Amino acid sequence: MSFNLEQAEQMFSGVFAGLSPAYRLLRVAEYFSSEVVFTTSFGIEDQMITYLIVTEKLPFRIVTLDTGRFFPETYAVWQYTEEKYSLRIRAYYPNEQALEALVADQGINGFYYSPQMRETCCAVRKVEPLSRALKNARAWITGMRRDQSTERRNLNSIILDKKRALLKINPLYDLTRDQVTAFVSAHDIPVNTLHAEGFLSIGCAPCTRSVRHDEDERAGRWWWERDRTKECGLHINPDRDFNTAILRNQTKQV
């Protein structure tokens, strides 16, 4: 079927509300086939989506952005997931020159010193690798949900990303954490053991802590930054300036 992205956005948005996550993914596969990329960070939502992709035999590429700063528990569930489902999850890594320049400039943990330095680290370790992972993709699947944080409470099921020329698809957008947890438990889906220790949103080890019962799921991300949006740059306006002078200068050489 031939259509442009604007038409696809309207079509999917109109039918997603009445479908289960599995059927949402099936509808995406009907139209986009192998042009779909799913990025996993091995959190509970992403593990549910991986299970659905595998069990429904959907022709999507499953990739991860390995920053080099994952928890050991994250690498463990990555390995277990590949073994359990007999698949290989392709990893995209930071650009070598950009990463070396970043650490030379701000030190190994410079992200603690200012929001700008943290955003630059995220840009080098996550945002630039994402651009390579999504090259030639027409649809990008994520595990974002509305109740993960106040910033995401108005999340749509489908987002038209004009700069990347693709549709960003959030098949779990209207599910609660309890619903995801119940599904994962019922289907014996492997999960990161850190979830049971209060790490509800798991990113890089130096930038993630457990959360209290009265905090939202993403409160443990970059917790030292007060009153700031808890995002790394992957899921906000791609036109935003992330202070990536190091990244821009270094990637031109590659």
Side-chain angles (χ1 to χ4, degrees), residues 64-99:
T64 191
L65 310 176
D66 186 354
T67 65
R69 305 301 298 269
F70 284 174
F71 286 95
E73 292 86 347
T74 301
Y75 289 112
V77 77
W78 177 354
Q79 178 182 358
Y80 184 28
T81 300
E82 289 190 332
E83 293 173 350
K84 182 178 179 68
Y85 300 128
S86 300
L87 57 82
R88 184 69 71 220
I89 297 170
R90 177 173 177 181
Y92 285 82
Y93 295 92
N95 171 271
E96 180 182 358
Q97 290 88 352
L99 184 58

PDB file of all heavy atoms in Angstrom, residues 64-99:
ATOM      1  N   THR A  64      19.790  -2.071  20.093  1.00  0.00           N
ATOM      2  CA  THR A  64      19.979  -1.368  21.359  1.00  0.00           C
ATOM      3  C   THR A  64      21.103  -0.362  21.210  1.00  0.00           C
ATOM      4  O   THR A  64      21.992  -0.519  20.360  1.00  0.00           O
ATOM      5  CB  THR A  64      20.290  -2.358  22.504  1.00  0.00           C
ATOM      6  OG1 THR A  64      20.221  -1.662  23.755  1.00  0.00           O
ATOM      7  CG2 THR A  64      21.669  -2.986  22.361  1.00  0.00           C
ATOM      8  N   LEU A  65      21.055   0.681  22.017  1.00  0.00           N
ATOM      9  CA  LEU A  65      22.095   1.708  22.033  1.00  0.00           C
ATOM     10  C   LEU A  65      22.948   1.470  23.269  1.00  0.00           C
ATOM     11  O   LEU A  65      22.591   1.875  24.369  1.00  0.00           O
ATOM     12  CB  LEU A  65      21.460   3.104  22.073  1.00  0.00           C
ATOM     13  CG  LEU A  65      20.372   3.373  21.021  1.00  0.00           C
ATOM     14  CD1 LEU A  65      19.753   4.758  21.245  1.00  0.00           C
ATOM     15  CD2 LEU A  65      20.928   3.245  19.614  1.00  0.00           C
ATOM     16  N   ASP A  66      24.055   0.784  23.079  1.00  0.00           N
ATOM     17  CA  ASP A  66      24.919   0.431  24.206  1.00  0.00           C
ATOM     18  C   ASP A  66      25.862   1.591  24.484  1.00  0.00           C
ATOM     19  O   ASP A  66      26.827   1.819  23.759  1.00  0.00           O
ATOM     20  CB  ASP A  66      25.706  -0.842  23.895  1.00  0.00           C
ATOM     21  CG  ASP A  66      26.516  -1.333  25.089  1.00  0.00           C
ATOM     22  OD1 ASP A  66      26.553  -0.626  26.120  1.00  0.00           O
ATOM     23  OD2 ASP A  66      27.109  -2.419  24.986  1.00  0.00           O
ATOM     24  N   THR A  67      25.595   2.297  25.561  1.00  0.00           N
ATOM     25  CA  THR A  67      26.383   3.484  25.907  1.00  0.00           C
ATOM     26  C   THR A  67      27.745   3.148  26.482  1.00  0.00           C
ATOM     27  O   THR A  67      28.595   4.022  26.618  1.00  0.00           O
ATOM     28  CB  THR A  67      25.616   4.332  26.942  1.00  0.00           C
ATOM     29  OG1 THR A  67      25.502   3.572  28.156  1.00  0.00           O
ATOM     30  CG2 THR A  67      24.230   4.704  26.422  1.00  0.00           C
ATOM     31  N   GLY A  68      27.931   1.894  26.875  1.00  0.00           N
ATOM     32  CA  GLY A  68      29.149   1.507  27.564  1.00  0.00           C
ATOM     33  C   GLY A  68      29.062   1.700  29.069  1.00  0.00           C
ATOM     34  O   GLY A  68      30.011   1.387  29.789  1.00  0.00           O
ATOM     35  N   ARG A  69      27.912   2.206  29.555  1.00  0.00           N
ATOM     36  CA  ARG A  69      27.757   2.468  30.984  1.00  0.00           C
ATOM     37  C   ARG A  69      26.548   1.717  31.562  1.00  0.00           C
ATOM     38  O   ARG A  69      25.994   2.113  32.583  1.00  0.00           O
ATOM     39  CB  ARG A  69      27.600   3.979  31.250  1.00  0.00           C
ATOM     40  CG  ARG A  69      28.706   4.866  30.703  1.00  0.00           C
ATOM     41  CD  ARG A  69      30.089   4.530  31.250  1.00  0.00           C
ATOM     42  NE  ARG A  69      30.208   4.695  32.685  1.00  0.00           N
ATOM     43  CZ  ARG A  69      30.596   5.810  33.310  1.00  0.00           C
ATOM     44  NH1 ARG A  69      30.878   6.895  32.604  1.00  0.00           N
ATOM     45  NH2 ARG A  69      30.707   5.860  34.620  1.00  0.00           N
ATOM     46  N   PHE A  70      26.125   0.640  30.928  1.00  0.00           N
ATOM     47  CA  PHE A  70      25.003  -0.150  31.432  1.00  0.00           C
ATOM     48  C   PHE A  70      25.348  -0.824  32.752  1.00  0.00           C
ATOM     49  O   PHE A  70      26.505  -1.110  33.048  1.00  0.00           O
ATOM     50  CB  PHE A  70      24.623  -1.253  30.438  1.00  0.00           C
ATOM     51  CG  PHE A  70      23.847  -0.787  29.231  1.00  0.00           C
ATOM     52  CD1 PHE A  70      23.550  -1.683  28.207  1.00  0.00           C
ATOM     53  CD2 PHE A  70      23.404   0.510  29.101  1.00  0.00           C
ATOM     54  CE1 PHE A  70      22.841  -1.288  27.099  1.00  0.00           C
ATOM     55  CE2 PHE A  70      22.693   0.926  27.988  1.00  0.00           C
ATOM     56  CZ  PHE A  70      22.406   0.016  26.982  1.00  0.00           C
ATOM     57  N   PHE A  71      24.304  -1.131  33.534  1.00  0.00           N
ATOM     58  CA  PHE A  71      24.467  -1.973  34.717  1.00  0.00           C
ATOM     59  C   PHE A  71      24.837  -3.393  34.282  1.00  0.00           C
ATOM     60  O   PHE A  71      24.406  -3.854  33.218  1.00  0.00           O
ATOM     61  CB  PHE A  71      23.150  -2.063  35.497  1.00  0.00           C
ATOM     62  CG  PHE A  71      22.770  -0.849  36.275  1.00  0.00           C
ATOM     63  CD1 PHE A  71      21.920   0.106  35.729  1.00  0.00           C
ATOM     64  CD2 PHE A  71      23.228  -0.662  37.575  1.00  0.00           C
ATOM     65  CE1 PHE A  71      21.538   1.221  36.458  1.00  0.00           C
ATOM     66  CE2 PHE A  71      22.860   0.444  38.317  1.00  0.00           C
ATOM     67  CZ  PHE A  71      22.008   1.401  37.750  1.00  0.00           C
ATOM     68  N   PRO A  72      25.596  -4.129  35.106  1.00  0.00           N
ATOM     69  CA  PRO A  72      25.842  -5.549  34.802  1.00  0.00           C
ATOM     70  C   PRO A  72      24.534  -6.327  34.645  1.00  0.00           C
ATOM     71  O   PRO A  72      24.444  -7.237  33.818  1.00  0.00           O
ATOM     72  CB  PRO A  72      26.642  -6.034  36.019  1.00  0.00           C
ATOM     73  CG  PRO A  72      27.309  -4.809  36.550  1.00  0.00           C
ATOM     74  CD  PRO A  72      26.340  -3.687  36.304  1.00  0.00           C
ATOM     75  N   GLU A  73      23.516  -5.960  35.424  1.00  0.00           N
ATOM     76  CA  GLU A  73      22.229  -6.651  35.333  1.00  0.00           C
ATOM     77  C   GLU A  73      21.568  -6.450  33.971  1.00  0.00           C
ATOM     78  O   GLU A  73      20.834  -7.323  33.493  1.00  0.00           O
ATOM     79  CB  GLU A  73      21.294  -6.149  36.443  1.00  0.00           C
ATOM     80  CG  GLU A  73      21.711  -6.548  37.844  1.00  0.00           C
ATOM     81  CD  GLU A  73      22.702  -5.595  38.489  1.00  0.00           C
ATOM     82  OE1 GLU A  73      23.273  -4.724  37.766  1.00  0.00           O
ATOM     83  OE2 GLU A  73      22.930  -5.708  39.708  1.00  0.00           O
ATOM     84  N   THR A  74      21.825  -5.304  33.356  1.00  0.00           N
ATOM     85  CA  THR A  74      21.268  -5.052  32.027  1.00  0.00           C
ATOM     86  C   THR A  74      21.937  -5.940  30.983  1.00  0.00           C
ATOM     87  O   THR A  74      21.265  -6.521  30.118  1.00  0.00           O
ATOM     88  CB  THR A  74      21.432  -3.568  31.651  1.00  0.00           C
ATOM     89  OG1 THR A  74      20.759  -2.766  32.629  1.00  0.00           O
ATOM     90  CG2 THR A  74      20.847  -3.281  30.275  1.00  0.00           C
ATOM     91  N   TYR A  75      23.246  -6.070  31.076  1.00  0.00           N
ATOM     92  CA  TYR A  75      23.932  -6.970  30.144  1.00  0.00           C
ATOM     93  C   TYR A  75      23.482  -8.418  30.350  1.00  0.00           C
ATOM     94  O   TYR A  75      23.390  -9.195  29.396  1.00  0.00           O
ATOM     95  CB  TYR A  75      25.451  -6.850  30.314  1.00  0.00           C
ATOM     96  CG  TYR A  75      26.014  -5.539  29.804  1.00  0.00           C
ATOM     97  CD1 TYR A  75      26.539  -4.591  30.673  1.00  0.00           C
ATOM     98  CD2 TYR A  75      26.006  -5.260  28.441  1.00  0.00           C
ATOM     99  CE1 TYR A  75      27.042  -3.388  30.213  1.00  0.00           C
ATOM    100  CE2 TYR A  75      26.515  -4.050  27.962  1.00  0.00           C
ATOM    101  CZ  TYR A  75      27.028  -3.120  28.851  1.00  0.00           C
ATOM    102  OH  TYR A  75      27.520  -1.923  28.386  1.00  0.00           O
ATOM    103  N   ALA A  76      23.190  -8.774  31.599  1.00  0.00           N
ATOM    104  CA  ALA A  76      22.748 -10.138  31.889  1.00  0.00           C
ATOM    105  C   ALA A  76      21.401 -10.433  31.234  1.00  0.00           C
ATOM    106  O   ALA A  76      21.203 -11.496  30.630  1.00  0.00           O
ATOM    107  CB  ALA A  76      22.674 -10.365  33.397  1.00  0.00           C
ATOM    108  N   VAL A  77      20.444  -9.502  31.359  1.00  0.00           N
ATOM    109  CA  VAL A  77      19.123  -9.751  30.765  1.00  0.00           C
ATOM    110  C   VAL A  77      19.199  -9.669  29.242  1.00  0.00           C
ATOM    111  O   VAL A  77      18.435 -10.346  28.533  1.00  0.00           O
ATOM    112  CB  VAL A  77      18.067  -8.782  31.344  1.00  0.00           C
ATOM    113  CG1 VAL A  77      18.178  -7.383  30.754  1.00  0.00           C
ATOM    114  CG2 VAL A  77      16.659  -9.332  31.099  1.00  0.00           C
ATOM    115  N   TRP A  78      20.115  -8.882  28.712  1.00  0.00           N
ATOM    116  CA  TRP A  78      20.359  -8.840  27.263  1.00  0.00           C
ATOM    117  C   TRP A  78      20.771 -10.237  26.784  1.00  0.00           C
ATOM    118  O   TRP A  78      20.186 -10.774  25.833  1.00  0.00           O
ATOM    119  CB  TRP A  78      21.426  -7.797  26.990  1.00  0.00           C
ATOM    120  CG  TRP A  78      21.892  -7.621  25.566  1.00  0.00           C
ATOM    121  CD1 TRP A  78      21.562  -8.372  24.471  1.00  0.00           C
ATOM    122  CD2 TRP A  78      22.789  -6.613  25.093  1.00  0.00           C
ATOM    123  NE1 TRP A  78      22.195  -7.899  23.340  1.00  0.00           N
ATOM    124  CE2 TRP A  78      22.953  -6.816  23.702  1.00  0.00           C
ATOM    125  CE3 TRP A  78      23.475  -5.573  25.710  1.00  0.00           C
ATOM    126  CZ2 TRP A  78      23.779  -5.998  22.924  1.00  0.00           C
ATOM    127  CZ3 TRP A  78      24.285  -4.759  24.942  1.00  0.00           C
ATOM    128  CH2 TRP A  78      24.436  -4.968  23.561  1.00  0.00           C
ATOM    129  N   GLN A  79      21.762 -10.809  27.437  1.00  0.00           N
ATOM    130  CA  GLN A  79      22.224 -12.136  27.042  1.00  0.00           C
ATOM    131  C   GLN A  79      21.116 -13.182  27.182  1.00  0.00           C
ATOM    132  O   GLN A  79      20.893 -14.009  26.289  1.00  0.00           O
ATOM    133  CB  GLN A  79      23.427 -12.556  27.888  1.00  0.00           C
ATOM    134  CG  GLN A  79      23.935 -13.959  27.563  1.00  0.00           C
ATOM    135  CD  GLN A  79      25.094 -14.375  28.457  1.00  0.00           C
ATOM    136  OE1 GLN A  79      25.549 -13.615  29.299  1.00  0.00           O
ATOM    137  NE2 GLN A  79      25.570 -15.596  28.280  1.00  0.00           N
ATOM    138  N   TYR A  80      20.409 -13.140  28.301  1.00  0.00           N
ATOM    139  CA  TYR A  80      19.350 -14.120  28.546  1.00  0.00           C
ATOM    140  C   TYR A  80      18.239 -13.997  27.501  1.00  0.00           C
ATOM    141  O   TYR A  80      17.690 -15.003  27.024  1.00  0.00           O
ATOM    142  CB  TYR A  80      18.790 -13.923  29.953  1.00  0.00           C
ATOM    143  CG  TYR A  80      17.740 -14.934  30.363  1.00  0.00           C
ATOM    144  CD1 TYR A  80      17.726 -16.225  29.832  1.00  0.00           C
ATOM    145  CD2 TYR A  80      16.760 -14.593  31.298  1.00  0.00           C
ATOM    146  CE1 TYR A  80      16.761 -17.145  30.228  1.00  0.00           C
ATOM    147  CE2 TYR A  80      15.799 -15.513  31.691  1.00  0.00           C
ATOM    148  CZ  TYR A  80      15.804 -16.783  31.144  1.00  0.00           C
ATOM    149  OH  TYR A  80      14.856 -17.688  31.521  1.00  0.00           O
ATOM    150  N   THR A  81      17.915 -12.768  27.121  1.00  0.00           N
ATOM    151  CA  THR A  81      16.871 -12.548  26.110  1.00  0.00           C
ATOM    152  C   THR A  81      17.273 -13.147  24.770  1.00  0.00           C
ATOM    153  O   THR A  81      16.464 -13.805  24.100  1.00  0.00           O
ATOM    154  CB  THR A  81      16.596 -11.039  25.960  1.00  0.00           C
ATOM    155  OG1 THR A  81      16.163 -10.507  27.226  1.00  0.00           O
ATOM    156  CG2 THR A  81      15.521 -10.779  24.916  1.00  0.00           C
ATOM    157  N   GLU A  82      18.511 -12.928  24.373  1.00  0.00           N
ATOM    158  CA  GLU A  82      18.979 -13.506  23.107  1.00  0.00           C
ATOM    159  C   GLU A  82      18.926 -15.029  23.149  1.00  0.00           C
ATOM    160  O   GLU A  82      18.518 -15.686  22.173  1.00  0.00           O
ATOM    161  CB  GLU A  82      20.404 -13.031  22.814  1.00  0.00           C
ATOM    162  CG  GLU A  82      20.506 -11.566  22.431  1.00  0.00           C
ATOM    163  CD  GLU A  82      21.877 -11.193  21.906  1.00  0.00           C
ATOM    164  OE1 GLU A  82      22.868 -11.862  22.312  1.00  0.00           O
ATOM    165  OE2 GLU A  82      21.974 -10.262  21.106  1.00  0.00           O
ATOM    166  N   GLU A  83      19.339 -15.606  24.255  1.00  0.00           N
ATOM    167  CA  GLU A  83      19.356 -17.065  24.375  1.00  0.00           C
ATOM    168  C   GLU A  83      17.943 -17.640  24.425  1.00  0.00           C
ATOM    169  O   GLU A  83      17.653 -18.655  23.783  1.00  0.00           O
ATOM    170  CB  GLU A  83      20.130 -17.474  25.623  1.00  0.00           C
ATOM    171  CG  GLU A  83      21.620 -17.152  25.546  1.00  0.00           C
ATOM    172  CD  GLU A  83      22.353 -17.391  26.847  1.00  0.00           C
ATOM    173  OE1 GLU A  83      21.662 -17.621  27.880  1.00  0.00           O
ATOM    174  OE2 GLU A  83      23.596 -17.338  26.867  1.00  0.00           O
ATOM    175  N   LYS A  84      17.059 -17.001  25.152  1.00  0.00           N
ATOM    176  CA  LYS A  84      15.693 -17.517  25.312  1.00  0.00           C
ATOM    177  C   LYS A  84      14.927 -17.493  23.995  1.00  0.00           C
ATOM    178  O   LYS A  84      14.172 -18.422  23.674  1.00  0.00           O
ATOM    179  CB  LYS A  84      14.943 -16.689  26.352  1.00  0.00           C
ATOM    180  CG  LYS A  84      13.516 -17.179  26.642  1.00  0.00           C
ATOM    181  CD  LYS A  84      12.863 -16.331  27.717  1.00  0.00           C
ATOM    182  CE  LYS A  84      11.435 -16.779  28.007  1.00  0.00           C
ATOM    183  NZ  LYS A  84      11.377 -18.108  28.649  1.00  0.00           N
ATOM    184  N   TYR A  85      15.121 -16.422  23.207  1.00  0.00           N
ATOM    185  CA  TYR A  85      14.349 -16.264  21.978  1.00  0.00           C
ATOM    186  C   TYR A  85      15.142 -16.573  20.711  1.00  0.00           C
ATOM    187  O   TYR A  85      14.639 -16.373  19.599  1.00  0.00           O
ATOM    188  CB  TYR A  85      13.782 -14.849  21.907  1.00  0.00           C
ATOM    189  CG  TYR A  85      12.869 -14.511  23.063  1.00  0.00           C
ATOM    190  CD1 TYR A  85      13.072 -13.363  23.821  1.00  0.00           C
ATOM    191  CD2 TYR A  85      11.804 -15.342  23.405  1.00  0.00           C
ATOM    192  CE1 TYR A  85      12.239 -13.042  24.887  1.00  0.00           C
ATOM    193  CE2 TYR A  85      10.966 -15.033  24.475  1.00  0.00           C
ATOM    194  CZ  TYR A  85      11.192 -13.886  25.206  1.00  0.00           C
ATOM    195  OH  TYR A  85      10.367 -13.578  26.263  1.00  0.00           O
ATOM    196  N   SER A  86      16.379 -17.051  20.877  1.00  0.00           N
ATOM    197  CA  SER A  86      17.220 -17.416  19.721  1.00  0.00           C
ATOM    198  C   SER A  86      17.315 -16.272  18.716  1.00  0.00           C
ATOM    199  O   SER A  86      17.024 -16.427  17.524  1.00  0.00           O
ATOM    200  CB  SER A  86      16.677 -18.675  19.042  1.00  0.00           C
ATOM    201  OG  SER A  86      16.665 -19.766  19.931  1.00  0.00           O
ATOM    202  N   LEU A  87      17.717 -15.133  19.190  1.00  0.00           N
ATOM    203  CA  LEU A  87      17.861 -13.972  18.318  1.00  0.00           C
ATOM    204  C   LEU A  87      19.138 -13.221  18.662  1.00  0.00           C
ATOM    205  O   LEU A  87      19.777 -13.494  19.669  1.00  0.00           O
ATOM    206  CB  LEU A  87      16.648 -13.043  18.436  1.00  0.00           C
ATOM    207  CG  LEU A  87      16.280 -12.482  19.822  1.00  0.00           C
ATOM    208  CD1 LEU A  87      17.122 -11.263  20.181  1.00  0.00           C
ATOM    209  CD2 LEU A  87      14.812 -12.100  19.863  1.00  0.00           C
ATOM    210  N   ARG A  88      19.499 -12.317  17.791  1.00  0.00           N
ATOM    211  CA  ARG A  88      20.641 -11.447  18.045  1.00  0.00           C
ATOM    212  C   ARG A  88      20.156 -10.010  17.989  1.00  0.00           C
ATOM    213  O   ARG A  88      19.527  -9.598  17.010  1.00  0.00           O
ATOM    214  CB  ARG A  88      21.745 -11.669  17.008  1.00  0.00           C
ATOM    215  CG  ARG A  88      23.012 -10.861  17.262  1.00  0.00           C
ATOM    216  CD  ARG A  88      23.764 -11.347  18.499  1.00  0.00           C
ATOM    217  NE  ARG A  88      24.392 -12.636  18.293  1.00  0.00           N
ATOM    218  CZ  ARG A  88      24.432 -13.603  19.206  1.00  0.00           C
ATOM    219  NH1 ARG A  88      23.860 -13.429  20.394  1.00  0.00           N
ATOM    220  NH2 ARG A  88      25.026 -14.744  18.950  1.00  0.00           N
ATOM    221  N   ILE A  89      20.410  -9.270  19.053  1.00  0.00           N
ATOM    222  CA  ILE A  89      20.029  -7.865  19.132  1.00  0.00           C
ATOM    223  C   ILE A  89      21.241  -7.029  18.749  1.00  0.00           C
ATOM    224  O   ILE A  89      22.281  -7.078  19.411  1.00  0.00           O
ATOM    225  CB  ILE A  89      19.540  -7.512  20.550  1.00  0.00           C
ATOM    226  CG1 ILE A  89      18.277  -8.328  20.873  1.00  0.00           C
ATOM    227  CG2 ILE A  89      19.278  -6.016  20.677  1.00  0.00           C
ATOM    228  CD1 ILE A  89      17.845  -8.252  22.320  1.00  0.00           C
ATOM    229  N   ARG A  90      21.121  -6.279  17.674  1.00  0.00           N
ATOM    230  CA  ARG A  90      22.266  -5.514  17.189  1.00  0.00           C
ATOM    231  C   ARG A  90      22.520  -4.310  18.089  1.00  0.00           C
ATOM    232  O   ARG A  90      21.593  -3.576  18.446  1.00  0.00           O
ATOM    233  CB  ARG A  90      22.042  -5.031  15.757  1.00  0.00           C
ATOM    234  CG  ARG A  90      23.197  -4.175  15.262  1.00  0.00           C
ATOM    235  CD  ARG A  90      23.120  -3.819  13.814  1.00  0.00           C
ATOM    236  NE  ARG A  90      24.225  -2.953  13.448  1.00  0.00           N
ATOM    237  CZ  ARG A  90      24.427  -2.449  12.231  1.00  0.00           C
ATOM    238  NH1 ARG A  90      23.584  -2.769  11.254  1.00  0.00           N
ATOM    239  NH2 ARG A  90      25.449  -1.659  11.992  1.00  0.00           N
ATOM    240  N   ALA A  91      23.759  -4.105  18.444  1.00  0.00           N
ATOM    241  CA  ALA A  91      24.148  -2.984  19.291  1.00  0.00           C
ATOM    242  C   ALA A  91      24.780  -1.873  18.459  1.00  0.00           C
ATOM    243  O   ALA A  91      25.589  -2.134  17.558  1.00  0.00           O
ATOM    244  CB  ALA A  91      25.123  -3.439  20.366  1.00  0.00           C
ATOM    245  N   TYR A  92      24.390  -0.652  18.771  1.00  0.00           N
ATOM    246  CA  TYR A  92      25.028   0.534  18.203  1.00  0.00           C
ATOM    247  C   TYR A  92      25.788   1.237  19.324  1.00  0.00           C
ATOM    248  O   TYR A  92      25.236   1.469  20.405  1.00  0.00           O
ATOM    249  CB  TYR A  92      23.987   1.477  17.597  1.00  0.00           C
ATOM    250  CG  TYR A  92      23.440   0.981  16.284  1.00  0.00           C
ATOM    251  CD1 TYR A  92      22.424   0.030  16.262  1.00  0.00           C
ATOM    252  CD2 TYR A  92      23.939   1.434  15.075  1.00  0.00           C
ATOM    253  CE1 TYR A  92      21.918  -0.450  15.064  1.00  0.00           C
ATOM    254  CE2 TYR A  92      23.448   0.962  13.871  1.00  0.00           C
ATOM    255  CZ  TYR A  92      22.438   0.025  13.873  1.00  0.00           C
ATOM    256  OH  TYR A  92      21.941  -0.464  12.682  1.00  0.00           O
ATOM    257  N   TYR A  93      27.038   1.574  19.046  1.00  0.00           N
ATOM    258  CA  TYR A  93      27.923   2.141  20.062  1.00  0.00           C
ATOM    259  C   TYR A  93      28.263   3.589  19.747  1.00  0.00           C
ATOM    260  O   TYR A  93      28.160   4.031  18.589  1.00  0.00           O
ATOM    261  CB  TYR A  93      29.205   1.309  20.156  1.00  0.00           C
ATOM    262  CG  TYR A  93      28.961  -0.098  20.646  1.00  0.00           C
ATOM    263  CD1 TYR A  93      28.726  -1.133  19.747  1.00  0.00           C
ATOM    264  CD2 TYR A  93      28.921  -0.389  22.003  1.00  0.00           C
ATOM    265  CE1 TYR A  93      28.474  -2.431  20.183  1.00  0.00           C
ATOM    266  CE2 TYR A  93      28.672  -1.676  22.455  1.00  0.00           C
ATOM    267  CZ  TYR A  93      28.451  -2.692  21.539  1.00  0.00           C
ATOM    268  OH  TYR A  93      28.189  -3.958  21.986  1.00  0.00           O
ATOM    269  N   PRO A  94      28.720   4.358  20.740  1.00  0.00           N
ATOM    270  CA  PRO A  94      29.125   5.737  20.484  1.00  0.00           C
ATOM    271  C   PRO A  94      30.270   5.795  19.483  1.00  0.00           C
ATOM    272  O   PRO A  94      31.120   4.897  19.425  1.00  0.00           O
ATOM    273  CB  PRO A  94      29.578   6.236  21.862  1.00  0.00           C
ATOM    274  CG  PRO A  94      28.890   5.341  22.844  1.00  0.00           C
ATOM    275  CD  PRO A  94      28.800   4.007  22.171  1.00  0.00           C
ATOM    276  N   ASN A  95      30.288   6.866  18.709  1.00  0.00           N
ATOM    277  CA  ASN A  95      31.393   7.115  17.799  1.00  0.00           C
ATOM    278  C   ASN A  95      32.699   7.197  18.591  1.00  0.00           C
ATOM    279  O   ASN A  95      32.773   7.900  19.604  1.00  0.00           O
ATOM    280  CB  ASN A  95      31.141   8.410  17.034  1.00  0.00           C
ATOM    281  CG  ASN A  95      32.322   8.860  16.216  1.00  0.00           C
ATOM    282  OD1 ASN A  95      33.173   9.585  16.726  1.00  0.00           O
ATOM    283  ND2 ASN A  95      32.382   8.447  14.985  1.00  0.00           N
ATOM    284  N   GLU A  96      33.701   6.470  18.153  1.00  0.00           N
ATOM    285  CA  GLU A  96      34.946   6.360  18.922  1.00  0.00           C
ATOM    286  C   GLU A  96      35.605   7.708  19.160  1.00  0.00           C
ATOM    287  O   GLU A  96      35.976   8.048  20.289  1.00  0.00           O
ATOM    288  CB  GLU A  96      35.913   5.430  18.193  1.00  0.00           C
ATOM    289  CG  GLU A  96      37.248   5.250  18.901  1.00  0.00           C
ATOM    290  CD  GLU A  96      38.204   4.360  18.113  1.00  0.00           C
ATOM    291  OE1 GLU A  96      37.814   3.851  17.042  1.00  0.00           O
ATOM    292  OE2 GLU A  96      39.345   4.179  18.580  1.00  0.00           O
ATOM    293  N   GLN A  97      35.767   8.499  18.080  1.00  0.00           N
ATOM    294  CA  GLN A  97      36.443   9.785  18.234  1.00  0.00           C
ATOM    295  C   GLN A  97      35.650  10.740  19.109  1.00  0.00           C
ATOM    296  O   GLN A  97      36.205  11.472  19.933  1.00  0.00           O
ATOM    297  CB  GLN A  97      36.694  10.425  16.863  1.00  0.00           C
ATOM    298  CG  GLN A  97      37.749   9.711  16.035  1.00  0.00           C
ATOM    299  CD  GLN A  97      37.167   8.589  15.195  1.00  0.00           C
ATOM    300  OE1 GLN A  97      35.989   8.229  15.336  1.00  0.00           O
ATOM    301  NE2 GLN A  97      37.984   8.033  14.311  1.00  0.00           N
ATOM    302  N   ALA A  98      34.312  10.729  18.945  1.00  0.00           N
ATOM    303  CA  ALA A  98      33.477  11.626  19.740  1.00  0.00           C
ATOM    304  C   ALA A  98      33.527  11.254  21.217  1.00  0.00           C
ATOM    305  O   ALA A  98      33.577  12.127  22.092  1.00  0.00           O
ATOM    306  CB  ALA A  98      32.034  11.590  19.228  1.00  0.00           C
ATOM    307  N   LEU A  99      33.540   9.960  21.511  1.00  0.00           N
ATOM    308  CA  LEU A  99      33.584   9.517  22.900  1.00  0.00           C
ATOM    309  C   LEU A  99      34.923   9.857  23.539  1.00  0.00           C
ATOM    310  O   LEU A  99      34.990  10.323  24.684  1.00  0.00           O
ATOM    311  CB  LEU A  99      33.326   8.017  22.981  1.00  0.00           C
ATOM    312  CG  LEU A  99      33.256   7.423  24.383  1.00  0.00           C
ATOM    313  CD1 LEU A  99      32.168   8.102  25.214  1.00  0.00           C
ATOM    314  CD2 LEU A  99      33.018   5.918  24.316  1.00  0.00           C
TER     315      LEU A  99
END
